[in-house]
């Protein structure tokens, strides 16, 4: 089988024939129906593998891990504002609760313990975040 | 300038990730592992944005990163598969890889036939049928001329056809006796 025909058959299976190539292939197949049967078999195989690939992709739900530069600025600023506002409000509420003599001592102790725990957790997250800042753990790409 | 490069790369990544996921899944045979490998590969690609030559096709470059990530994961698991570095030799034997997708005998027979192909022919099937790589990208990834890609693809499909010819699941229905087609 010649190279040009092989190329036509490969492209036909992949659905990439130009109209001119399609016409040439049709003319050949009219004289060689056995090649047409082989082509049908190849197309059937391709349809099955296409189905697999589509099912794998549909299952993926893959998104790039980082948004673009401007979007990162918007997201970062928004996050800082929200965290700052929540921290200020919680701090104020905590301060008022601890200072209020009408609140039972047990409740004040529980609130203080919760606040200390939350502060510890927040501190740990900030520490980890600061450590990883500016580092690229995947510098080596090509090997 | 850097932001523009990053946005361009981000767009190309978004386009390539579904195909890369299929490649990773075919190598690793596990959804979560494949997803993690793709995320890791995307991070590596974004981290290496400066080294990417935008004049060259993106998918072969990213495919290489994905492959490295997958091999790292296999290597971490200390499986024998980690030593196989060629594209066509990377299809997972893990039950999840095929069993997840194939409920019928026809698909199972085809999966067996693909696995039985020689490495260089299996590589072109993996790239074209599962990753929808263009002929030019395949030539770049496999480091062969495009004509060789076409020739291998033709031979691979011929081998598959021959391997499946005797399989009952793929047999053509008999034409009615004396009837015209």
């Amino acid at each position: 089988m010649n190279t040009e025909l092989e190329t036509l058959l490969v492209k036909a299976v992949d659905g990439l024939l130009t109209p001119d190539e399609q016409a040439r292939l049709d003319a050949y197949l009219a004289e060689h129906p056995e090649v047409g049967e082989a082509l049908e078999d190849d197309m059937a195989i391709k349809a099955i593998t296409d189905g697999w690939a589509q099912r794998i992709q549909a299952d993926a739900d893959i998104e790039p891990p980082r948004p673009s530069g401007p979007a990162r600025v918007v997201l970062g600023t928004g996050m800082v504002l929200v965290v700052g506002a929540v921290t200020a409000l919680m701090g104020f509420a905590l301060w008022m609760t601890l200072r209020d003599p009408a609140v039972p001592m047990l409740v004040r102790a529980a609130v203080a313990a919760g606040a200390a725990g939350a502060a510890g957790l927040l501190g740990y997250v900030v520490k980890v975040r600061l450590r990883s800042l500016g580092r690229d753990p995947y510098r080596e790409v090509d090997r | 300038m850097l932001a523009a490069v990053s946005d361009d790369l981000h767009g190309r990544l978004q386009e390539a990730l579904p195909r890369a996921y299929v490649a990773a899944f075919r190598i690793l045979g596990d959804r979560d592992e494949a997803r993690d490998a793709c995320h890791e590969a995307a991070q590596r690609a974004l981290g290496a944005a400066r080294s990417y030559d935008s004049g060259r096709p993106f998918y072969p470059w990213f495919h290489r990163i994905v492959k490295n990530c997958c091999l790292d994961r296999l290597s971490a698991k200390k499986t024998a598969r980690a030593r196989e570095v060629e594209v066509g030799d990377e299809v997972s034997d893990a039950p999840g890889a095929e069993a997840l997708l194939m409920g019928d005998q026809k698909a199972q027979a085809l999966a067996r036939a693909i696995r039985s192909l020689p490495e260089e022919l299996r590589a072109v099937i993996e790239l074209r049928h599962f990753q929808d790589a263009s002929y030019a990208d395949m030539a770049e990834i496999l480091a062969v001329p495009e004509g060789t890609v076409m020739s291998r693809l033709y031979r691979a499909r011929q081998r598959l056809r021959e391997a499946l010819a005797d399989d009952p699941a793929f047999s053509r229905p008999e034409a009615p006796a004396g009837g015209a087609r």
Side-chain angles (χ1 to χ4, degrees), chain A residues 65-80 129, chain B residues 2-4 6-7 10 46:
Chain A
R66 288 202 306 182
S68 62
R72 279 202 299 275
V73 171
V74 172
L75 284 173
T77 307
M79 187 62 75
V80 166
R129 180 77 182 139
Chain B
L2 191 61
S6 179
D7 281 348
H10 195 264
L46 288 168

Side-chain angles (χ1 to χ4, degrees), chain B residues 1-45:
Chain B
M1 176 67 183
L2 191 61
V5 171
S6 179
D7 281 348
D8 177 50
L9 201 63
H10 195 264
R12 289 176 191 231
L13 265 178
Q14 209 149 17
E15 200 178 300
L17 271 172
R19 291 191 285 153
Y21 173 79
V22 176
F25 183 84
R26 298 278 300 165
I27 294 170
L28 297 166
D30 180 90
R31 292 180 193 171
D32 293 335
E33 285 276 333
R35 195 175 289 131
D36 289 348
C38 282
H39 276 133
E40 188 182 327
Q43 282 179 327
R44 286 191 192 188

Side-chain angles (χ1 to χ4, degrees), chain B residues 61-140:
Chain B
W61 181 75
F62 186 54
H63 179 274
R64 190 171 183 179
I65 298 173
V66 172
K67 192 179 83 173
N68 283 343
C69 289
C70 292
L71 291 179
D72 284 349
R73 282 168 184 274
L74 288 176
S75 181
K77 285 181 170 181
K78 300 185 188 302
T79 65
R81 307 292 298 176
R83 287 190 293 275
E84 298 168 349
V85 292
E86 296 305 321
V87 178
D89 220 19
E90 292 167 354
V91 181
S92 169
D93 279 338
E98 308 290 0
L100 178 71
L101 303 165
M102 295 181 299
D104 61 276
Q105 292 181 335
K106 194 180 258 192
Q108 288 175 10
L110 179 53
R112 277 196 303 273
I114 291 173
R115 275 200 295 268
S116 72
L117 286 174
E119 184 185 307
E120 66 175 26
L121 301 186
R122 194 158 68 240
V124 290
I125 292 293
E126 285 294 325
L127 288 167
R128 181 65 215 158
H129 284 225
F130 292 97
Q131 300 172 44
D132 198 28
S134 69
Y135 303 135
D137 283 356
M138 291 166 70
E140 179 94 10

